[in-house]
Amino acid sequence: MGLKLLILCALVVLNQAAKLPKSQTATCSRQCTESKKFGYETGKTYDYDYTSKVSTTIQGASEDKAEIDMAAKVHIEVQSKCDLVLKVSDVVLTESDPKSPNTRRNADVTGEFKKSLEQNPLMFSFQDGRVDELCPSNDEQTWALNIKRAIISAFQNSMDDFSQEQKTKEMDVTGSCDVNYSLASNGWYTMTIKKTKDTLGCVDRHGYKTAMQGTPYRVPSEIQSMPLVKSTHECQQGISKTGILQSSSCEEQHVLRPFSRESSGAVTETKQTLKYITESQSRSTKVSTEKRTTLAFEHAFDNSNSANAQKEVLNKLTEFCELSKDAVKVSTAKQFTELVRLMKTLDSDSMESVHKKVHSGKVCPKNTKVRKFFLDAIPMVGTKASLKMMTHLINTDEVTGAEADMWMTSLSFIQHPTKDMLLELKPLLTNTKNGQAMLAVSSLVYTYCKTSSCANDIDMVNLVASLEDKIGVGCYADKNNVNNIIRALRAFGNAGFSSSITMVNSCLTRKENPTEVRLAAAQAFRRMACDANVIKNL
């Protein structure tokens, strides 16, 4: 009996021991390269000193400059060959004193900068030098993540072979760029690698927030952005013969071309350095890998409400009242752009309150142009509040006909839709008077789902199900509903939502359906992923 009990206890202990690593087997890498040009050892942490300086001057016009400096300790923990974790500590942020440029003062008085930057470790996929994915914590602030992107960018090296000059494509905090690597020197203990890039040819670099609607696109050209800023980017990395980064120094210079002469003009220079300190054995840090992103700089647009937002919008509308009393003036365009900017800060309640005052005539009752300006600005705002207002005005027939159609078309130009925005638009799908709504909303669904997981999101599934209601069970098309079915199928094609595969397939395979319906069904597959579940349902 005693022997049986001993064996049972041993099995339980072994079973629990086998389970322990599962809580620490979080991985960010989806694959792991076999190459071994770097020599980082699993279970070790490599410590670095990190510094960063940004200075802005008006060269040739003034000797004044504005500078901000950051210093920190950077710890690179190697959990496996292809999974590394970045931790930051001892963060110090200082800035130049405007009254005494050579004097530094604390720029983090509240300590919030230090706290936020040190709070979360960041796991990243390290493919023998190339960083292809980051797995940040869900509560990581965007600005803090961007700083960590810059640190990892200085750590990254995408060469296949240190001894061979190489031109390759690389994604880092400056965007996706063509990069030239070359061996600058090869000493007994370390080698120096030089890395340069032409930022004019970089993509995924800029963020735009203007009242002008537009969609970015790429062309086969060495220039991917307007050359208003002349930029240079160069890094030097010192790497030991054992494959450990000893140092990294990256410098950038940006000169605003308009009103500049040669190197004179508005100039911003940045310099960041990593210097190896030591290495030590480490304990595995628990990290979250639910969220994934890249090294590309993330542009976050703050639409938070200011306490005086509603008052500022009403004041701007009152200015319109005076400006447009007799005729539309040249300055009206600038004022309209400012109105759109101010309306971006309104929440739903404030937006509705402003609308009621404009609609009732409390704002400029003798000038109807003000109401027109307000209505024209709503689709240009592109926030949750503005989309809720658009839905309300269309569904209550306050905005109809060609104007409603233009409003629907404007939705396609929203570059960063959120789930809340889409849910505000859902009531438009029940509006039988405006057929454009299905096409416009489905385009936004596709844009949103490109960067978010929608397949298991019940809210998104329900939204797409609203489109399925337009077709009906079995997809029986006749002269009374054929136009609605074709429009719904085109909307499915826009959305590219695989959960609708069965419905679309019914429209395609039902031989009694008109040819135009079956053709629209075939075209609806254009954005759907060809995964196993889709093929199984065909």
Side-chain angles (χ1 to χ4, degrees):
M1 179 68 181
L3 180 60
K4 289 183 178 179
L5 181 60
L6 181 61
I7 293 173
L8 179 62
C9 290
L11 290 173
V12 170
V13 170
L14 288 172
N15 184 48
Q16 294 302 316
K19 289 181 179 179
L20 280 175
K22 287 189 176 181
S23 63
Q24 298 180 7
T25 54
T27 177
C28 188
S29 57
R30 301 175 191 263
Q31 60 180 357
C32 193
T33 182
E34 294 181 358
S35 63
K36 297 179 180 179
K37 69 177 187 286
F38 280 100
Y40 300 110
E41 296 181 32
T42 301
K44 282 192 173 183
T45 294
Y46 297 83
D47 300 326
Y48 294 85
D49 276 328
Y50 175 78
T51 62
S52 175
K53 173 183 283 190
V54 181
S55 62
T56 299
T57 59
I58 308 295
Q59 293 185 4
S62 172
E63 295 183 358
D64 294 339
K65 65 170 62 177
E67 293 184 339
I68 188 162
D69 301 82
M70 173 186 155
K73 289 285 191 298
V74 168
H75 315 280
I76 305 292
E77 177 186 312
V78 184
Q79 292 200 353
S80 70
K81 180 178 182 295
C82 294
D83 287 296
L84 276 59
V85 176
L86 168 71
K87 292 182 287 186
V88 182
S89 66
D90 301 332
V91 175
V92 177
L93 187 70
T94 59
E95 63 183 353
S96 58
D97 188 336
K99 298 179 180 178
S100 179
N102 294 324
T103 304
R104 290 290 183 271
R105 64 183 185 185
N106 182 18
D108 184 27
V109 179
T110 64
E112 190 63 31
F113 182 87
K114 173 183 171 69
K115 178 183 176 182
S116 298
L117 204 54
E118 296 179 358
Q119 184 175 6
N120 296 310
L122 173 62
M123 178 175 273
F124 57 96
S125 173
F126 184 78
Q127 303 299 319
D128 200 29
R130 183 184 293 272
V131 177
D132 56 7
E133 264 189 320
L134 310 180
C135 295
S137 301
N138 288 325
D139 60 344
E140 185 80 277
Q141 296 186 63
T142 302
W143 66 263
L145 180 57
N146 281 332
I147 291 176
K148 293 175 182 178
R149 284 182 167 112
I151 296 172
I152 295 174
S153 294
F155 186 76
Q156 178 175 231
N157 181 299
S158 300
M159 298 177 77
D160 295 328
D161 184 344
F162 290 139
S163 63
Q164 300 293 323
E165 185 173 329
Q166 183 177 354
K167 182 176 182 179
T168 185
K169 197 82 170 178
E170 185 177 271
M171 171 70 80
D172 64 9
V173 73
T174 60
S176 180
C177 311
D178 289 324
V179 181
N180 289 306
Y181 280 100
S182 60
L183 180 63
S185 65
N186 194 359
W188 286 104
Y189 303 106
T190 62
M191 63 192 96
T192 301
I193 305 295
K194 184 178 179 180
K195 177 168 70 170
T196 59
K197 64 179 68 174
D198 181 6
T199 56
L200 277 180
C202 299
V203 295
D204 299 325
R205 175 174 172 81
H206 298 288
Y208 303 97
K209 185 181 180 183
T210 69
M212 184 171 292
Q213 301 283 17
T215 300
Y217 65 93
R218 298 178 185 178
V219 295
S221 171
E222 294 182 356
I223 298 177
Q224 293 291 337
S225 58
M226 294 182 67
L228 295 176
V229 177
K230 179 183 178 182
S231 300
T232 58
H233 180 104
E234 183 176 306
C235 293
Q236 284 200 343
Q237 295 177 322
I239 301 173
S240 69
K241 293 297 175 130
T242 56
I244 305 298
L245 181 74
Q246 299 296 303
S247 64
S248 179
S249 176
C250 295
E251 296 184 17
E252 288 187 14
Q253 185 185 69
H254 308 279
V255 180
L256 184 65
R257 286 179 183 270
F259 314 112
S260 67
R261 178 178 296 178
E262 296 180 355
S263 61
S264 298
V267 179
T268 295
E269 296 177 330
T270 68
K271 181 176 182 179
Q272 61 172 341
T273 62
L274 273 175
K275 289 185 178 179
Y276 173 83
I277 307 173
T278 187
E279 61 191 65
S280 60
Q281 295 295 323
S282 59
R283 298 180 62 182
S284 184
T285 301
K286 293 183 179 180
V287 291
S288 170
T289 58
E290 295 178 4
K291 184 179 177 183
R292 291 178 179 272
T293 185
T294 68
L295 273 177
F297 187 91
E298 184 177 348
H299 298 272
F301 303 116
D302 184 12
N303 291 326
S304 58
N305 304 313
S306 66
N308 299 319
Q310 184 176 330
K311 181 180 178 181
E312 290 174 348
V313 170
L314 291 172
N315 288 341
K316 183 59 63 176
L317 289 170
T318 302
E319 289 181 26
F320 268 115
C321 184
E322 296 299 321
L323 279 172
S324 61
K325 183 166 54 178
D326 300 319
V328 176
K329 300 179 181 179
V330 175
S331 60
T332 302
K334 179 181 178 181
Q335 294 296 322
F336 181 79
T337 301
E338 182 66 13
L339 174 64
V340 172
R341 186 190 68 79
L342 292 172
M343 287 175 63
K344 287 179 180 289
T345 64
L346 295 176
D347 59 17
S348 298
D349 292 337
S350 299
M351 182 80 75
E352 184 179 355
S353 177
V354 172
H355 169 254
K356 285 181 178 178
K357 291 178 180 179
V358 172
H359 185 67
S360 64
K362 290 184 178 180
V363 179
C364 197
K366 297 182 180 180
N367 188 346
T368 58
K369 293 189 184 76
V370 170
R371 177 179 178 275
K372 178 62 176 171
F373 284 132
F374 176 72
L375 292 180
D376 286 347
I378 291 174
M380 306 289 283
V381 173
T383 63
K384 174 187 172 182
S386 68
L387 296 187
K388 183 177 181 179
M389 179 59 64
M390 289 170 67
T391 301
H392 170 72
L393 296 180
I394 290 174
N395 280 348
T396 57
D397 292 334
E398 186 173 333
V399 174
T400 58
E403 186 173 14
D405 288 340
M406 285 191 290
W407 277 23
M408 290 298 95
T409 302
S410 72
L411 295 180
S412 302
F413 295 102
I414 296 177
Q415 296 181 27
H416 307 287
T418 64
K419 185 201 290 190
D420 289 339
M421 289 182 183
L422 290 167
L423 295 180
E424 292 294 353
L425 292 170
K426 187 177 178 181
L428 283 177
L429 299 179
T430 62
N431 189 327
T432 58
K433 298 178 182 179
N434 194 298
Q436 290 288 103
M438 284 191 288
L439 301 177
V441 175
S442 60
S443 293
L444 274 189
V445 170
Y446 176 71
T447 304
Y448 171 73
C449 292
K450 281 196 298 184
T451 56
S452 305
S453 178
C454 294
N456 299 317
D457 189 325
I458 189 64
D459 291 322
M460 300 308 299
V461 171
N462 288 338
L463 191 148
V464 174
S466 300
L467 295 174
E468 295 179 3
D469 294 339
K470 302 288 185 180
I471 294 178
V473 179
C475 191
Y476 291 86
D478 56 43
K479 63 180 181 180
N480 296 319
N481 66 1
V482 65
N483 288 332
N484 270 342
I485 289 179
I486 291 175
R487 193 175 287 117
L489 288 169
R490 288 174 178 168
F492 283 133
N494 284 347
F497 216 78
S498 299
S499 67
S500 309
I501 189 75
T502 303
M503 177 66 71
V504 175
N505 198 38
S506 297
C507 295
L508 176 64
T509 57
R510 185 171 177 77
K511 296 181 180 180
E512 293 80 6
N513 283 340
T515 302
E516 58 264 37
V517 170
R518 300 181 70 186
L519 180 60
Q523 292 173 334
F525 287 105
R526 71 184 189 276
R527 283 178 172 171
M528 294 185 186
C530 295
D531 55 29
N533 291 330
V534 171
I535 296 172
K536 180 181 178 181
N537 289 322
L538 282 176

